mmCIF file of all heavy atoms in Angstrom:
data_model
loop_
_atom_site.group_PDB
_atom_site.id
_atom_site.type_symbol
_atom_site.label_atom_id
_atom_site.label_comp_id
_atom_site.label_asym_id
_atom_site.label_seq_id
_atom_site.Cartn_x
_atom_site.Cartn_y
_atom_site.Cartn_z
ATOM 1 N N GLU A 163 17.952 -8.143 12.187
ATOM 2 C CA GLU A 163 19.490 -8.358 12.156
ATOM 3 C C GLU A 163 19.687 -9.817 12.934
ATOM 4 O O GLU A 163 20.546 -10.537 12.488
ATOM 5 C CB GLU A 163 20.288 -7.401 12.867
ATOM 6 C CG GLU A 163 21.638 -7.556 12.882
ATOM 7 C CD GLU A 163 22.452 -6.404 13.531
ATOM 8 O OE1 GLU A 163 21.764 -5.366 13.870
ATOM 9 O OE2 GLU A 163 23.546 -6.473 13.633
ATOM 10 N N GLU A 164 18.910 -10.073 13.945
ATOM 11 C CA GLU A 164 19.182 -11.301 14.661
ATOM 12 C C GLU A 164 18.892 -12.494 13.840
ATOM 13 O O GLU A 164 19.650 -13.495 13.719
ATOM 14 C CB GLU A 164 18.280 -11.337 15.898
ATOM 15 C CG GLU A 164 18.388 -12.614 16.721
ATOM 16 C CD GLU A 164 17.499 -12.501 18.051
ATOM 17 O OE1 GLU A 164 16.748 -11.561 18.069
ATOM 18 O OE2 GLU A 164 17.610 -13.571 18.829
ATOM 19 N N THR A 165 17.737 -12.479 13.087
ATOM 20 C CA THR A 165 17.294 -13.629 12.328
ATOM 21 C C THR A 165 18.296 -13.841 11.133
ATOM 22 O O THR A 165 18.692 -15.000 10.783
ATOM 23 C CB THR A 165 16.009 -13.434 11.717
ATOM 24 O OG1 THR A 165 14.965 -13.279 12.767
ATOM 25 C CG2 THR A 165 15.606 -14.502 10.832
ATOM 26 N N ILE A 166 18.780 -12.699 10.470
ATOM 27 C CA ILE A 166 19.670 -12.928 9.414
ATOM 28 C C ILE A 166 21.037 -13.518 9.781
ATOM 29 O O ILE A 166 21.580 -14.293 9.171
ATOM 30 C CB ILE A 166 19.887 -11.559 8.698
ATOM 31 C CG1 ILE A 166 18.653 -11.084 8.046
ATOM 32 C CG2 ILE A 166 21.105 -11.525 7.770
ATOM 33 C CD1 ILE A 166 18.589 -9.775 7.459
ATOM 34 N N ASN A 167 21.503 -12.926 11.075
ATOM 35 C CA ASN A 167 22.776 -13.554 11.515
ATOM 36 C C ASN A 167 22.609 -14.982 11.865
ATOM 37 O O ASN A 167 23.618 -15.814 11.586
ATOM 38 C CB ASN A 167 23.319 -12.700 12.734
ATOM 39 C CG ASN A 167 23.734 -11.388 12.349
ATOM 40 O OD1 ASN A 167 24.271 -11.168 11.187
ATOM 41 N ND2 ASN A 167 23.676 -10.435 13.211
ATOM 42 N N GLU A 168 21.533 -15.344 12.385
ATOM 43 C CA GLU A 168 21.265 -16.831 12.661
ATOM 44 C C GLU A 168 21.321 -17.608 11.381
ATOM 45 O O GLU A 168 21.930 -18.705 11.479
ATOM 46 C CB GLU A 168 19.986 -17.003 13.442
ATOM 47 C CG GLU A 168 20.007 -16.496 14.836
ATOM 48 C CD GLU A 168 18.625 -16.668 15.672
ATOM 49 O OE1 GLU A 168 17.727 -17.131 14.829
ATOM 50 O OE2 GLU A 168 18.576 -16.327 16.837
ATOM 51 N N ARG A 169 20.629 -17.115 10.411
ATOM 52 C CA ARG A 169 20.616 -17.916 9.162
ATOM 53 C C ARG A 169 22.030 -17.898 8.363
ATOM 54 O O ARG A 169 22.297 -18.890 7.723
ATOM 55 C CB ARG A 169 19.561 -17.328 8.220
ATOM 56 C CG ARG A 169 18.225 -17.617 8.741
ATOM 57 C CD ARG A 169 17.078 -17.118 7.754
ATOM 58 N NE ARG A 169 15.835 -17.531 8.172
ATOM 59 C CZ ARG A 169 14.549 -17.093 7.630
ATOM 60 N NH1 ARG A 169 14.726 -16.257 6.452
ATOM 61 N NH2 ARG A 169 13.503 -17.540 8.006
ATOM 62 N N LYS A 170 22.753 -16.888 8.671
ATOM 63 C CA LYS A 170 24.099 -16.892 7.897
ATOM 64 C C LYS A 170 24.839 -18.099 8.656
ATOM 65 O O LYS A 170 25.496 -18.807 7.797
ATOM 66 C CB LYS A 170 24.800 -15.584 8.389
ATOM 67 C CG LYS A 170 24.481 -14.387 7.406
ATOM 68 C CD LYS A 170 24.980 -13.033 7.929
ATOM 69 C CE LYS A 170 26.428 -13.087 8.268
ATOM 70 N NZ LYS A 170 26.893 -11.768 8.680
ATOM 71 N N LEU A 171 24.892 -18.311 9.908
ATOM 72 C CA LEU A 171 25.565 -19.342 10.494
ATOM 73 C C LEU A 171 24.931 -20.684 10.159
ATOM 74 O O LEU A 171 25.703 -21.576 9.939
ATOM 75 C CB LEU A 171 25.581 -19.117 12.063
ATOM 76 C CG LEU A 171 26.352 -17.940 12.628
ATOM 77 C CD1 LEU A 171 26.136 -17.674 14.147
ATOM 78 C CD2 LEU A 171 27.821 -18.055 12.343
ATOM 79 N N ALA A 172 23.624 -20.693 10.107
ATOM 80 C CA ALA A 172 22.954 -21.985 9.859
ATOM 81 C C ALA A 172 23.249 -22.429 8.271
ATOM 82 O O ALA A 172 23.574 -23.530 8.074
ATOM 83 C CB ALA A 172 21.438 -21.802 9.957
ATOM 84 N N PHE A 173 23.304 -21.560 7.409
ATOM 85 C CA PHE A 173 23.554 -21.818 5.987
ATOM 86 C C PHE A 173 25.052 -22.258 5.837
ATOM 87 O O PHE A 173 25.343 -23.109 5.062
ATOM 88 C CB PHE A 173 23.220 -20.668 5.154
ATOM 89 C CG PHE A 173 21.697 -20.652 4.805
ATOM 90 C CD1 PHE A 173 21.085 -19.227 4.749
ATOM 91 C CD2 PHE A 173 20.881 -21.691 4.695
ATOM 92 C CE1 PHE A 173 19.765 -19.193 4.634
ATOM 93 C CE2 PHE A 173 19.566 -21.528 4.648
ATOM 94 C CZ PHE A 173 18.912 -20.375 4.542
ATOM 95 N N LYS A 174 25.818 -21.603 6.643
ATOM 96 C CA LYS A 174 27.307 -21.978 6.473
ATOM 97 C C LYS A 174 27.441 -23.331 6.961
ATOM 98 O O LYS A 174 28.152 -24.149 6.341
ATOM 99 C CB LYS A 174 28.058 -20.979 7.348
ATOM 100 C CG LYS A 174 29.576 -21.316 7.534
ATOM 101 C CD LYS A 174 30.307 -20.355 8.434
ATOM 102 C CE LYS A 174 31.672 -20.995 8.746
ATOM 103 N NZ LYS A 174 32.413 -20.009 9.635
#
Side-chain angles (χ1 to χ4, degrees):
E163 184 177 353
E164 181 182 2
T165 299
I166 291 173
N167 286 334
E168 286 177 358
R169 286 183 176 173
K170 278 168 55 178
L171 294 174
F173 285 141
K174 174 185 172 180

